[in-house]
Amino acid sequence: MEIKKFVEIAEPLGVLGLKITQNDELIAQWHSEGECRRNVYSVTKSFTSCAVGFAIQEGLLSLNERLVDAFPEDLPDVVSENLEKATVRDLLTMHLGQEKPSLMGEQRPLYEEDNWVKMSLSFPFVYEPGTHFLYNNVGPYLAGVLVQRRCGCDLVSYLTPRLFSHLGIKRPMWETDPLGNSFGSGGLFLTLSELHKFGLFCLHKGKWNGKQLLSSDWIDECAKQQYDDAPYGYLFWTGEYNSFRADGKYCQYSIIFPDHSAVVSLVSECRKGDELMKAIYSEICPQL
C-alpha cells in the first residue's frame, strides 16, 4: 500500500504513528517517534464494552437490567420516572436520557464528591432513555463499575485473563475514580501496536489465535448502529465503508473494515479529527 500522500496530510495534523493490516498481513506502517504507551482516551469505552460482553457471557449481568436494580444503594432520594426506566443497555448507546455530559476530562478534577456512582445517578434524567443521543461519560463509567462490582475486581484484573494476556498486552495503566474503580470511559494507556491488536480482535469478531474469547454476536452488536439519530453502536462509533471504530480524543483510532478484512490504527495529537478522517477515507480506503 502506498501511504506517502496520507502521511504528508497526517503528519502536520499531529499523527504520531499508523498501522494498517489487511488479511492478517501488516501492509503499511509509519511512525514519527518510537512507540510508548499513551492515553487513548475514549478508546477505553470500547474496552469497557468488551468487559460488559464478557460479563454477560459469564452470566454476571444482563442488558435489560434496570439501573435502579443494579445500583440500589446509590439512587437519589427521589427516583424519576426516566431513571426508573433506564437499563444497562442505555449505558452503552449514549441514549441514557441525561441532558448534559458529565464526568468529562475537564470536569473530573473539579468534583468535590468522591462517590461518582451516586453523583452520576443524581444528575437529572430529562429524557426517556433511548430517545436522545448525548455523548456522555456517565454511561460507560457506570457500566464499568457494574462489571467491577459483579466480578469483584478492577477492569484491568478482569480483562487481563480474558483479553489482555491473549493479545500480549502486559497489565496496562487505567485511570481510576476517587474510590479506586477503573474509569470505564477513559484513561487507558496503550501503545499503537496494542491498540492495533485490539482492532484485529474486533475484526475477527472476538476470536484470537483460533480461540473464540468473546461472543461474535456481541461484537456484531457493538458494530451496529443502535439508533437512527447517531452513528453509534455499543461504545463504538460506526462510519463509512461499513466500518466501526474505537475512537479517542485527539484522534486515537482503531478502525475496523470488515468488508475489506482490514484494520487501520493511529495514535495522534490531532485537533482536526474531521480532516484526518477525511484523509483516511480518501487516501487509504480506496487502496484496500
Side-chain angles (χ1 to χ4, degrees):
M1 172 177 281
E2 176 52 61
I3 59 168
K4 186 166 179 256
K5 188 169 179 192
F6 174 76
V7 170
E8 285 172 1
I9 298 169
E11 189 170 15
L13 289 176
V15 174
L16 304 174
L18 165 74
K19 277 182 178 276
I20 305 172
T21 292
Q22 187 169 33
N23 299 320
D24 292 324
E25 181 186 342
L26 184 67
I27 59 170
Q29 64 178 325
W30 172 83
H31 302 268
S32 71
E33 58 182 48
E35 281 196 44
C36 64
R37 278 188 167 164
R38 308 177 60 81
N39 190 345
V40 292
Y41 300 98
S42 288
V43 162
T44 307
K45 294 176 172 68
S46 300
F47 282 84
T48 298
S49 178
C50 288
V52 172
F54 281 114
I56 290 172
Q57 196 166 281
E58 293 167 11
L60 298 178
L61 55 86
S62 157
L63 281 182
N64 297 322
E65 200 171 334
R66 297 186 311 154
L67 300 192
V68 292
D69 298 323
F71 299 99
E73 306 298 317
D74 299 292
L75 299 171
D77 293 337
V78 177
V79 175
S80 68
E81 189 179 338
N82 288 331
L83 172 53
E84 186 83 37
K85 291 177 181 175
T87 66
V88 170
R89 182 175 185 269
D90 297 316
L91 300 177
L92 306 178
T93 61
M94 297 295 174
H95 282 76
L96 189 55
Q98 294 184 338
E99 187 177 26
K100 297 175 183 173
S102 302
L103 301 180
M104 309 309 278
E106 67 278 8
Q107 298 170 332
R108 295 198 291 280
L110 305 179
Y111 291 127
E112 293 182 11
E113 174 64 65
D114 284 346
N115 187 335
W116 288 1
V117 175
K118 196 179 276 282
M119 180 178 71
S120 293
L121 291 167
S122 73
F123 296 137
F125 284 69
V126 175
Y127 306 108
E128 183 177 345
T131 61
H132 286 72
F133 178 85
L134 174 73
Y135 193 78
N136 180 5
N137 277 348
V138 166
Y141 166 68
L142 290 176
V145 170
L146 184 57
V147 172
Q148 290 169 85
R149 288 184 178 183
R150 296 288 167 83
C151 72
C153 63
D154 62 53
L155 290 180
V156 179
S157 298
Y158 184 64
L159 285 175
T160 291
R162 291 162 179 82
L163 179 65
F164 292 145
S165 62
H166 293 278
L167 272 55
I169 298 175
K170 301 289 186 185
R171 186 177 178 89
M173 187 165 77
W174 194 323
E175 181 183 342
T176 63
D177 72 7
L179 299 182
N181 298 296
S182 304
F183 185 65
S185 293
L188 181 62
F189 281 68
L190 298 171
T191 66
L192 171 60
S193 292
E194 290 168 339
L195 172 60
H196 193 58
K197 283 192 277 192
F198 178 65
L200 292 169
F201 168 78
C202 295
L203 175 66
H204 292 300
K205 296 191 177 187
K207 187 182 278 192
W208 194 258
N209 287 338
K211 185 177 181 184
Q212 194 72 46
L213 304 177
L214 180 58
S215 162
S216 61
D217 291 342
W218 181 254
I219 300 294
D220 284 341
E221 282 300 307
C222 290
K224 186 169 77 178
Q225 182 171 325
Q226 295 292 327
Y227 290 95
D228 291 339
D229 61 347
Y232 206 74
Y234 287 165
L235 304 181
F236 284 82
W237 289 92
T238 62
E240 293 180 31
Y241 292 89
N242 192 35
S243 64
F244 66 104
R245 68 185 184 275
D247 181 323
K249 191 176 181 181
Y250 307 134
C251 303
Q252 324 311 318
Y253 297 142
S254 192
I255 312 172
I256 298 98
F257 296 92
D259 296 349
H260 300 282
S261 299
V263 176
V264 177
S265 302
L266 303 90
V267 292
S268 316
E269 283 291 347
C270 173
R271 269 65 174 173
K272 295 180 177 178
D274 290 346
E275 270 185 55
L276 180 56
M277 194 60 74
K278 195 170 163 187
I280 293 168
Y281 288 145
S282 65
E283 301 300 328
I284 292 175
C285 291
Q287 297 187 63
L288 292 175

